[in-house]
């Protein structure tokens, strides 16, 4: 536990961190990779270039400082981050390295504002926060390894099948090379894929949602071609090739005890975890009312549509597809779609019961807009769940 003086000093630094946070975290990452280039094999360098990771870390440091006297307030976020850390392979030995260069970055940026007592207070606080992460992640590593069919870190899988789902999205059916049974996963979880791309000099790790139900002899990911790793998967990897993946992780999952109606709203490649949720509910809770809303540019950009339609045929599922730029082919086919975008009027029209569990997945702007619309129905925050593709609060 931290003493009152340390807590007081940490909380007093919040305004300074709010002003200089991203400068500090930018300096931190520069120092980290300069002195530990091996960590380039863990960190997403695309997010580094876009500066989204430094923003996420800055937000995390500010949140930790503001809640340093009641860290239980950020436990849900810590667990969310820890899922990602376990998935990509963050280990206890990484935390002292991060702490060292974070403190140096604070000194470098704040200069005279980083008095010795401030640095000492942050050194203590970081130790407490790091211990919380290490403890939670230790349990997650043990669970991943000791569960039936589980494994430690990464395991070799073969691409059993590649299926083009839309103009931009391809599904990869992955089977373990050792032929062992696969661990169960919760609908909405993801796996990390680790690949070495020639000419880049280091490995790349990306998270992809599992897009099918659990209990099969394969894991399926449905990947949009939009960056260096996804392009490598699409263009350079073929059926029978091998890739390494981590065991499933993530806390964006269905509440197994909820009996409320379920509303799944997605856009673009955000459909991937939603299809897993939809097919799981259709299989395990066929009487539960589900409204499945998906937005896409047009039919040729709409992946996994037939699987959503099939789920609706055999359970209490209602589907609605929204196309912003429908083609003539879309109009000629027997597809239930509406032209336009998801707005409040549409939601009011199609939602018969607004006391529901809402799950959202898509771009940050899409999530922000959907949260705003749903909140206007006086939906409690705990009933709105979402998954972002951008970095969120992250300590490393």
């Amino acid at each position: 536990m931290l003493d009152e003086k340390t807590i007081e000093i940490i909380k007093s630094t919040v305004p300074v961190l709010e002003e200089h946070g991203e400068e500090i975290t930018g300096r931190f990452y520069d120092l980290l990779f300069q002195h530990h280039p091996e960590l380039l094999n863990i960190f997403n360098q695309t997010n580094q270039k876009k500066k989204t990771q430094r923003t996420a870390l800055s937000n995390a440091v500010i949140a930790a400082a503001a809640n340093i006297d009641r860290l239980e307030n950020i436990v849900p976020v810590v667990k969310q981050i820890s899922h990602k850390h376990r998935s990509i392979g963050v280990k206890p030995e990484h935390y002292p390295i991060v702490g060292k260069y974070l403190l140096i970055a604070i000194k470098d940026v704040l200069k005279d504002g980083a008095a010795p007592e401030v640095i000492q207070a942050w050194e203590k606080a970081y130790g407490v926060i790091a211990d919380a992460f290490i403890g939670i992640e230790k349990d997650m590593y043990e669970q991943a390894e000791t569960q039936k069919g589980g494994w430690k870190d990464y395991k070799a899988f073969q691409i059993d099948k590649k299926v083009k789902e839309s103009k931009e999205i391809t599904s990869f059916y992955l089977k373990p090379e050792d032929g062992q049974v696969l661990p169960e996963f919760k609908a909405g979880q993801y796996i990390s894929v680790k690949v070495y791309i020639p000419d880049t000099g280091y490995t790349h790790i990306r998270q992809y949602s599992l897009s099918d139900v659990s209990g099969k002899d394969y894991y399926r990911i449905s990947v949009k071609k939009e960056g260096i790793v996804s392009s490598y998967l699409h263009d350079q990897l073929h059926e029978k090739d091998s890739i390494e993946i981590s065991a499933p992780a993530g806390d964006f999952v269905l509440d197994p005890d909820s009996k409320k109606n379920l509303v799944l709203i997605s856009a673009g490649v955000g459909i991937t975890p939603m299809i897993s949720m939809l097919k799981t509910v259709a299989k395990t809770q066929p009487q539960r009312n589900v409204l499945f809303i998906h937005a896409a540019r047009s039919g040729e950009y709409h992946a996994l549509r037939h699987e959503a339609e099939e789920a609706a045929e055999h359970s209490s599922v209602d589907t609605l597809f929204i196309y912003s730029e429908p083609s003539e082919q879309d109009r000629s086919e027997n597809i239930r779609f509406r032209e336009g975008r998801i707005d409040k009027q549409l939601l009011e029209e199609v939602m018969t019961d607004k006391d529901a569990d809402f799950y959202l997945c898509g771009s940050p702007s899409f999530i922000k807009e959907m949260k705003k619309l749903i909140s206007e129905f006086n939906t409690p925050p705990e009933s709105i769940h979402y998954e972002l593709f951008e970095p969120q609060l992250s300590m490393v």
Side-chain angles (χ1 to χ4, degrees):
M1 298 295 293
L2 296 172
D3 59 83
E4 289 299 321
K5 182 63 174 177
T6 298
I7 290 172
E8 179 184 339
I9 293 173
I10 294 297
K11 291 182 76 70
S12 73
T13 63
V14 171
V16 178
L17 294 173
E18 289 176 336
E19 181 179 357
H20 299 286
E22 290 196 38
E23 186 180 357
I24 290 170
T25 55
R27 176 62 176 156
F28 158 74
Y29 282 118
D30 288 343
L31 289 167
L32 183 69
F33 297 136
Q34 177 185 342
H35 293 279
H36 289 273
E38 74 278 4
L39 293 179
L40 290 166
N41 293 301
I42 294 179
F43 287 82
N44 185 326
Q45 294 306 305
T46 298
N47 291 334
Q48 292 294 329
K49 291 176 182 176
K50 290 165 35 178
K51 300 184 179 182
T52 51
Q53 192 65 58
R54 68 176 59 182
T55 301
L57 178 55
S58 174
N59 290 339
V61 172
I62 294 168
N67 291 277
I68 198 66
D69 54 342
R70 49 188 190 280
L71 288 176
E72 65 276 6
N73 289 354
I74 61 173
V75 166
V77 176
V78 170
K79 288 183 177 180
Q80 182 184 67
I81 298 166
S82 291
H83 273 285
K84 183 172 183 179
H85 285 181
R86 197 280 296 162
S87 177
I88 66 176
V90 172
K91 297 296 176 61
E93 56 265 30
H94 293 137
Y95 282 92
I97 298 172
V98 168
K100 174 182 178 179
Y101 292 105
L102 185 59
L103 292 175
I104 293 174
I106 291 173
K107 291 180 184 177
D108 286 353
V109 172
L110 298 186
K111 295 182 171 54
D112 293 342
E117 60 268 24
V118 171
I119 298 301
Q120 291 170 8
W122 262 108
E123 186 173 9
K124 291 180 182 179
Y126 179 82
V128 169
I129 296 167
D131 285 346
F133 274 93
I134 291 169
I136 291 173
E137 289 160 19
K138 179 177 182 291
D139 292 340
M140 289 183 175
Y141 274 107
E142 290 178 352
Q143 191 277 330
E145 185 176 3
T146 59
Q147 65 183 321
K148 184 179 180 181
W151 67 89
K152 182 180 181 180
D153 298 329
Y154 288 86
K155 179 175 175 176
F157 276 63
Q158 184 181 86
I159 300 173
D160 183 62
K161 185 168 56 172
K162 285 179 66 174
V163 177
K164 191 171 179 61
E165 305 285 6
S166 73
K167 190 169 184 177
E168 297 178 320
I169 296 173
T170 292
S171 285
F172 296 77
Y173 290 72
L174 310 175
K175 291 187 176 182
E177 291 188 352
D178 62 10
Q180 296 296 309
V181 66
L182 288 175
E184 297 283 327
F185 65 87
K186 297 177 182 178
Q189 289 192 307
Y190 56 81
I191 58 174
S192 286
V193 172
K194 180 168 70 171
V195 295
Y196 179 81
I197 301 176
D199 301 326
T200 64
Y202 46 84
T203 57
H204 299 260
I205 301 172
R206 296 292 186 274
Q207 288 76 44
Y208 296 108
S209 297
L210 292 158
S211 61
D212 208 338
V213 294
S214 186
K216 298 190 175 181
D217 66 346
Y218 61 82
Y219 286 155
R220 185 179 75 177
I221 56 175
S222 301
V223 179
K224 179 182 177 182
K225 185 178 179 180
E226 58 180 344
I228 183 172
V229 176
S230 59
S231 295
Y232 182 77
L233 293 176
H234 275 248
D235 300 335
Q236 303 300 322
L237 292 185
H238 308 286
E239 293 178 358
K240 308 309 177 186
D241 284 347
S242 179
I243 62 173
E244 291 186 279
I245 72 171
S246 67
D251 63 352
F252 178 63
V253 297
L254 294 172
D255 179 354
D257 299 320
S258 178
K259 300 297 189 291
K260 289 183 178 181
N261 288 351
L262 181 62
V263 181
L264 305 174
I265 306 177
S266 58
V269 74
I271 196 172
T272 53
M274 299 307 202
I275 281 290
S276 180
M277 291 183 181
L278 175 65
K279 294 175 71 172
T280 298
V281 172
K283 178 181 178 181
T284 61
Q285 296 177 295
Q287 303 307 313
R288 187 177 184 184
N289 292 323
V290 182
L291 175 59
F292 184 88
I293 305 175
H294 180 67
R297 188 185 307 180
S298 66
E300 67 176 347
Y301 288 91
H302 185 174
L304 307 169
R305 174 173 61 85
H306 296 296
E307 295 190 16
E309 292 172 331
E310 183 178 350
E313 291 177 0
H314 304 291
S315 57
S316 302
V317 173
D318 193 16
T319 61
L320 178 59
F321 309 136
I322 311 297
Y323 293 167
S324 58
E325 302 174 17
S327 66
E328 290 305 315
Q329 182 176 348
D330 295 332
R331 299 182 193 281
S332 64
E333 293 182 356
N334 187 25
I335 304 174
R336 186 193 174 196
F337 79 88
R338 294 193 186 186
E339 183 173 359
R341 298 185 181 277
I342 302 173
D343 56 22
K344 186 176 182 181
Q345 180 179 343
L346 181 143
L347 293 178
E348 286 181 327
E349 179 183 342
V350 299
M351 289 196 311
T352 57
D353 182 2
K354 297 180 177 62
D355 182 23
D357 288 326
F358 294 84
Y359 287 78
L360 317 173
C361 192
S363 68
S365 60
F366 177 81
I367 296 293
K368 182 178 180 180
E369 179 62 20
M370 292 303 104
K371 283 182 63 182
K372 178 178 179 294
L373 293 178
I374 294 167
S375 297
E376 291 175 1
F377 298 132
N378 296 317
T379 303
E382 60 268 21
S383 294
I384 305 175
H385 314 269
Y386 57 92
E387 181 85 306
L388 287 168
F389 298 125
E390 297 287 337
Q392 299 179 57
L393 297 180
S394 182
M395 292 302 291
V396 299

